[in-house]
Amino acid sequence: MPSFDGRVVQYPSTSNMRDYLSWRQADCHINNLYNTAFWALVQKGDVGTTEAEEILKGTVASQKNEILFSRFGINYNDEPEQFKKGSVLFRDYGAVSIGSTISNAAEQQGEEREFSKKRKEKEKKRRSKAEIKLQSMDIIRDHFWEAHPWLLTDE
């Protein structure tokens, strides 16, 4: 089971936060590719840890992939996403939050809709019951953020 280091960080903007999380996911991938190649060399290639470090020193991703495939028949692309992308823990509200929803009619007219205090309270209660999800998915591209827009709002 992979492990992680967690951090609590406050960033000045959602753009900074997204950049940081993208960097963390890319770093997860880089570290996992190195470790997959390293431990394959040690456990299946009968080399010591020092020799494995020397073999991998200065290599780029394509070279590590080649070592894995040519020496051990391992296609890194077939490795579980959990190891390549890490795990993302987030609140899932199931639908776009009411506070940022625009009715179809108002959207067509370019008007944002105001919600009553009662409706906002109902939304707050619904949000408090949000499901916590743990998934391994790409958070670098826009798809994740478009599917979970409330993660980038103050609501």
Side-chain angles (χ1 to χ4, degrees), residues 68-82:
L68 286 170
F69 191 74
S70 64
R71 293 190 187 189
F72 309 108
I74 298 171
N75 183 340
Y76 184 75
N77 291 327
D78 294 339
E79 293 295 301
E81 294 296 301
Q82 171 184 6

Side-chain angles (χ1 to χ4, degrees), residues 72-125:
F72 309 108
I74 298 171
N75 183 340
Y76 184 75
N77 291 327
D78 294 339
E79 293 295 301
E81 294 296 301
Q82 171 184 6
F83 303 118
K84 296 187 295 185
K85 296 193 183 317
S87 299
V88 180
L89 187 65
F90 63 96
R91 290 183 191 266
D92 189 8
Y93 299 105
V96 177
S97 66
I98 289 175
S100 64
T101 302
I102 300 174
S103 71
N104 287 341
E107 183 178 353
Q108 289 172 359
Q109 297 171 5
E111 300 171 7
E112 289 199 25
R113 202 169 153 200
E114 283 295 319
F115 293 98
S116 68
K117 186 175 182 177
K118 183 177 178 180
R119 186 137 183 211
K120 286 180 183 179
E121 285 300 317
K122 188 175 180 180
E123 171 66 3
K124 185 176 179 181
K125 185 176 179 181

Side-chain angles (χ1 to χ4, degrees), residues 31-53 55-56 64 67-68 72 74 79:
N31 291 335
N32 185 65
L33 178 57
Y34 177 89
N35 286 321
T36 302
F38 177 86
W39 288 109
L41 286 165
V42 172
Q43 294 172 344
K44 298 175 182 177
D46 294 325
V47 301
T49 56
T50 305
E51 188 179 347
E53 283 182 45
I55 291 169
L56 295 173
K64 290 177 188 78
I67 289 169
L68 286 170
F72 309 108
I74 298 171
E79 293 295 301

